[in-house]
Amino acid sequence: MRRHVLERIRELVRDLRYEVTDHAWDERAEDDLLLVDVETAILTGEIVREDKGDLRGTVYVIEGVGTDRETPVGVAVRFNERENVVVI
């Protein structure tokens, strides 16, 4: 099941069908990451946790690496009502 969800998330990211919340932008900046690092982590990482407690939908935590292939990057995402990915 996780593999299917991860492939769907990756497909949407490749198609640029995602949005980034203000909170995620702030976290990205604090961690000195570029948006491409977040995208790379999603495209190369794995789902390590699911949180079903969010009323807006299941949150999937993906752990991967940035564009340097070394820096660990954790990304939390969920689907919105339009079935696009939201980086939270």
Side-chain angles (χ1 to χ4, degrees):
M1 178 66 163
R2 278 187 180 180
R3 174 62 46 195
H4 173 72
V5 171
L6 182 58
E7 288 306 317
R8 178 75 178 132
I9 292 167
R10 287 176 175 170
E11 177 185 330
L12 291 168
V13 168
R14 282 191 296 269
D15 291 343
L16 301 177
R17 289 186 51 202
Y18 70 92
E19 56 192 71
V20 181
T21 65
D22 290 340
H23 174 74
W25 275 113
D26 293 343
E27 290 290 321
R28 179 204 53 81
E30 285 178 23
D31 292 340
D32 200 26
L33 297 171
L34 301 172
L35 182 57
V36 70
D37 292 312
V38 174
E39 292 171 337
T40 300
I42 292 170
L43 295 175
T44 63
E46 296 295 328
I47 295 175
V48 296
R49 191 173 72 244
E50 296 178 26
D51 179 6
K52 298 183 186 282
D54 189 321
L55 295 176
R56 294 166 291 186
T58 302
V59 174
Y60 301 94
V61 178
I62 300 170
E63 289 184 0
V65 292
T67 54
D68 64 3
R69 301 291 188 216
E70 293 179 13
T71 304
V73 178
V75 184
V77 302
R78 65 175 170 78
F79 296 100
N80 66 13
E81 63 280 350
R82 294 181 308 277
E83 291 300 311
N84 291 329
V85 170
V86 179
V87 178
I88 54 177

